[in-house]
Structures are given as C-alpha cells and as structure tokens.
Amino acid sequence: MDFLEDLEWRGSLKQVTDAAGLRKAMQDGQIGAYVGVDPTASSIHIGNLIPLMVLKRFQLAGHKAVIIAGGGTGAIGDPSGKKNERTLLSLEQINDNVEAQKKQFQKLFGHDDDFSIVNNNDWLGQLTLQEFLRDYGKLFSVNVMIKKDVVASRLDAGISFTEFTYQILQGIDFHELWRRENVRLQIGGSDQWGNITSGIDLIHTLEGNDAPAFGVTIPLMLNSDGTKFGKSEGNAIWLDAEKTSPYTFYQFWLNQDDRDVVKYLKFFTFLTVDEINELEVEVKDNPGQRLAQRRLAQEVTKFVHGQAAVDEAEQLSQALFSGNISDLSVKQIQSVFSGVPSFEAESHAKNIVDFLVDGGVEKSKRQAREDVQNGAITINGEKVTDVAFEVDPQSHYEGQYVLVRRGKKKYFLGIVK
C-alpha cells in the first residue's frame, strides 16, 4: 500500500485535494508535509497526536516532516472547533510554550534531516499591517471566506475580525513553507479543510496554477459512545510526563473499549495489517484477555515515552494488582495514586482505628474495628488485623504518604502534613 492507501485502511483519511497529483509528487522525489500546532499550552495532548500520527507515517514513507510551532498564529487564535473566542495568551507565555513543545516534537520525530520545526512568528511577526493588507488581503475574497465551515459555524454567535483572518495567516504559512522547506502537503483535522484549501488557492495565485500543493484531512475521531476521543472524562491526556504520568498514559490506552481498540490500533500504532488483523480476532474470540488493549498501550506509550516507560508502567500495574506496593518510590506513589481519594495525615503515629476514621476511610470506629479484624485493611501494602496497631507515617515513602487499601480495590492516600 502507498501512503494514501495506508491512511485509508487505517481510517485516517477524510479528504484529499488531488490524490493523483499527490501520489505523483511523492513518487518524483522527497517532498515535505506539515502540521501546525498552536502553543496554547506547555504540552501537546492526545488530540494533537491525531494529525501528528499521519505526519509520522509520511516521514516513514521517506519524506520530510515539518511542524509549525505557531508562535505567530497562536497569538491570534484559531476559530475552528470553538463556539467562542479563544483567550489570548501573553507573548511570553506563547514563547515558553513553543520551547516546551519543541522537546516533545523532537522525541516523536527525531533530529534528522527529514524533520524540522519552524516558528511562524519568524515571518508573520515581520509583516506590517500595510504589507498584510496589500500583499495578502487583496488576494482573499470575503464572500469566499465566510462560506468556509470554520467561519460559517461561528457567524450566528459572532466572530471577531482577528479570528476571521486566521485562515489568511494559515495560507501564508503554507506558502512560506512551500518556498522554504519544499512543503507540498498540509495535514489537518477535518475542521481545517477550509483553511487548507485557502492556502492552496494562495499558492496557486502566487506561484501559478500548476504549482504542486495538496491537502489531506483526517476524520473527526469519536469513541464508540459518540463522545470525542480523549475528552470522555473531561481531562486532557498530556504527552508531558509531568502533566500526565507515563503510568496514567499507559492506563488510558489499556482501558479502551473493545469496540474502539482495533480502530485505535490502526490509527495510533505502526503495527502491520497482519498484526492488527490478528489482534482483531483476539478481541472477538478472547475479549477477557484484553491482548489488543495491552498491545495498544505498549505501542503508543513506547512511541511517546520510550520502552523504559512501558516497562515501568507494566511493573506498577502488576504491583497494584498483587497489592505488593510497599517498595514503591515516592514518585511512583504520586504517579499511580494521584487520582484516588486523599486526606491529610498527621506526621506522628496514631492508632489504626482513629487513623481510618479521621481520614474518612471508615465512617465509624465500629466499622473500622470490624474491617481491621476481618483483614480488609492494608497499610502501605501490609495487611493489618490488630486494632491496637499504630500507623507510623514516617515508616514508608520518605514520610510523605500513607497508602490505605480497604477491601480488594479501594485505595486512599494519606498526605502527611
């Protein structure tokens, strides 16, 4: 399969402006493709990963991957996907975000000649208002611009002139990369179709109708329940290990629904057709084994964080399953148990019954005593059955945490004051 056929099989292709022309351009020699990412945060998230996976496949097909770190467009705000105007960040914050995101891009794409990161502020920031209006504004028809989906969807609620002009800026980006980096293809989500075609039109206006310029868009990715991928719990899954730990990242993929896992294996991994087809059979025949989910978690976590992160995530999962958690490090405790109910714990030793009630683990001393005597309570991985036991917060995890388990699965984290 060629690049486009592979995308189609993986469910990663929504629209292409000129499939035959793009195939010929890719066959004639190495060309560039780009994805733009506006630095609205200090980390990219799995939503950003969607177009980046397509760009990575383009790179693996022997071509050059280019990412625009949108220092210029990020100061304006892309109207697509939003019902209201974006909150503008300070230029200092945008620059900090650009630098932070660059490190993540380099982990995904490497440091070779077939990859580069550019900042569109290098050219957009040099344009005067007069040059913008004279050299570019004259080339865009308002009548055409307001019919683009990204603008039309906002007309009833209202759209500022600032965000209205975003498609012009994105068109300038495409043309600049066409000139500077031999970029012939722009890749984006399906909501970017109008912006992408505006850029192609600009290139044809400035460079001639025969100038090779193409666009590929990706379908909107939805979970099987109809919710937007990655947003079902309302919390972003970040690629920055400080924002979302590799363990949490691994667990996100491991917990995918059987109805979604094959789709995500196709989209987010570089496994072959045969490998994915075999895993699809496993989903149907042995769903309880969750082999497909585990492979998905392994592959995506390895791509983003490396093999060592996969190994640690699986070790932590096994420790959590077995209850053998007494030897976990403070950082691992923070990674694994950051989302469990927590309470403040005093630094001195306290009777276990009082400790459980004061921490809200148990509702009453009677219930606390019963659970302890029945072997339902573990403290820092050790089962406690003596109601006279003293919980010493200084005994584990550098005196920072006390980890309580009630029953088989219910955890509570005492944070030592």
Side-chain angles (χ1 to χ4, degrees):
M1 290 190 289
D2 65 17
F3 171 68
L4 290 177
E5 290 169 338
D6 183 57
L7 291 187
E8 191 163 10
W9 179 79
R10 293 178 182 275
S12 302
L13 183 62
K14 172 72 172 179
Q15 296 161 297
V16 57
T17 55
D18 177 5
L22 176 58
R23 283 191 170 97
K24 183 178 186 306
M26 294 180 70
Q27 291 167 358
D28 288 346
Q30 188 187 65
I31 60 172
Y34 93 92
V35 166
V37 181
D38 281 346
T40 55
S42 60
S43 171
I44 57 176
H45 52 74
I46 56 173
N48 303 126
L49 196 57
I50 293 172
L52 295 180
M53 294 303 300
V54 176
L55 184 64
K56 184 67 178 181
R57 297 187 199 286
F58 183 82
Q59 182 190 43
L60 293 174
H63 297 275
K64 183 174 182 178
V66 180
I67 291 178
I68 284 186
T73 45
I76 300 303
D78 181 357
S80 63
K82 296 291 182 181
K83 294 181 179 179
N84 301 305
E85 295 282 319
R86 293 176 184 261
T87 301
L88 298 182
L89 302 177
S90 69
L91 295 181
E92 180 181 10
Q93 184 62 64
I94 289 172
N95 291 334
D96 288 346
N97 290 349
V98 165
E99 293 305 311
Q101 290 185 1
K102 279 183 178 180
K103 298 175 183 177
Q104 296 173 327
F105 298 143
Q106 288 167 343
K107 285 183 67 176
L108 300 179
F109 290 88
H111 298 266
D112 298 328
D113 293 338
D114 61 359
F115 173 62
S116 65
I117 304 170
V118 296
N119 188 335
N120 58 14
N121 193 55
D122 291 346
W123 53 85
L124 296 179
Q126 305 305 311
L127 275 178
T128 66
L129 176 61
Q130 186 180 52
E131 289 170 335
F132 172 75
L133 295 174
R134 181 192 62 197
D135 297 342
Y136 297 104
K138 278 287 188 180
L139 305 180
F140 286 80
S141 165
V142 171
N143 292 359
V144 173
M145 292 174 70
I146 61 175
K147 292 179 181 178
K148 302 285 187 181
D149 288 344
V150 67
V151 173
S153 63
R154 290 278 301 277
L155 289 179
D156 289 340
I159 183 171
S160 69
F161 178 75
T162 298
E163 291 196 3
F164 178 67
T165 60
Y166 189 93
Q167 63 181 279
I168 300 179
L169 300 183
Q170 191 166 327
I172 295 172
D173 286 347
F174 198 172
H175 179 241
E176 285 294 324
L177 294 185
W178 193 93
R179 293 193 308 108
R180 295 168 181 243
E181 302 278 348
N182 194 37
V183 165
R184 299 296 182 256
L185 172 65
Q186 183 179 170
I187 298 167
S190 57
D191 59 348
Q192 292 292 317
W193 179 254
N195 290 343
I196 291 173
T197 54
S198 291
I200 293 173
D201 290 343
L202 178 63
I203 291 170
H204 287 163
T205 298
L206 296 174
E207 305 293 342
N209 289 330
D210 294 332
F214 313 97
V216 161
T217 64
I218 306 159
L220 177 65
M221 187 164 292
L222 299 176
N223 297 315
S224 55
D225 60 5
T227 59
K228 190 174 181 181
F229 168 77
K231 298 293 186 179
S232 57
E233 297 180 4
N235 297 315
I237 303 296
W238 302 97
L239 272 62
D240 183 343
E242 297 300 317
K243 286 178 172 287
T244 298
S245 71
Y247 170 80
T248 302
F249 187 86
Y250 178 94
Q251 289 294 321
F252 170 82
W253 299 101
L254 185 65
N255 291 325
Q256 291 303 317
D257 193 292
D258 286 345
R259 297 171 294 175
D260 293 321
V261 66
V262 173
K263 174 172 64 176
Y264 296 157
L265 280 166
K266 290 180 178 180
F267 197 98
F268 291 104
T269 78
F270 302 100
L271 298 178
T272 66
V273 173
D274 289 342
E275 288 174 310
I276 292 175
N277 286 341
E278 288 176 8
L279 288 167
E280 185 172 15
V281 172
E282 287 292 335
V283 173
K284 294 176 182 177
D285 294 347
N286 303 296
Q289 296 294 318
R290 298 184 70 78
L291 295 178
Q293 282 87 345
R294 185 180 180 193
R295 191 65 186 277
L296 174 66
Q298 290 172 335
E299 292 295 320
V300 186
T301 305
K302 180 181 178 180
F303 177 54
V304 173
H305 293 295
Q307 184 60 47
V310 176
D311 295 341
E312 182 176 39
E314 296 192 326
Q315 290 167 4
L316 289 175
S317 296
Q318 180 58 36
L320 190 59
F321 177 78
S322 66
N324 185 22
I325 58 175
S326 59
D327 294 330
L328 297 183
S329 69
V330 168
K331 187 173 182 180
Q332 288 172 329
I333 288 291
Q334 293 168 340
S335 172
V336 176
F337 298 101
S338 61
V340 305
S342 63
F343 60 93
E344 284 192 356
E346 297 175 359
S347 59
H348 59 78
K350 180 183 288 189
N351 173 266
I352 187 169
V353 173
D354 294 332
F355 182 86
L356 295 174
V357 174
D358 291 347
V361 178
E362 300 284 12
K363 294 182 179 180
S364 68
K365 290 187 177 183
R366 180 189 62 80
Q367 187 64 55
R369 282 191 289 268
E370 285 185 9
D371 283 349
V372 171
Q373 292 169 337
N374 292 334
I377 298 295
T378 64
I379 302 293
N380 299 327
E382 301 295 331
K383 183 181 290 186
V384 177
T385 58
D386 183 1
V387 294
F389 179 81
E390 294 283 310
V391 179
D392 182 6
Q394 304 303 316
S395 64
H396 283 79
Y397 313 132
E398 301 178 14
Q400 296 184 40
Y401 300 106
V402 177
L403 188 59
V404 182
R405 188 178 74 181
R406 189 185 70 206
K408 292 184 177 180
K409 296 183 177 180
K410 189 67 174 178
Y411 282 92
F412 300 84
L413 187 63
I415 302 173
V416 181
K417 294 188 293 184

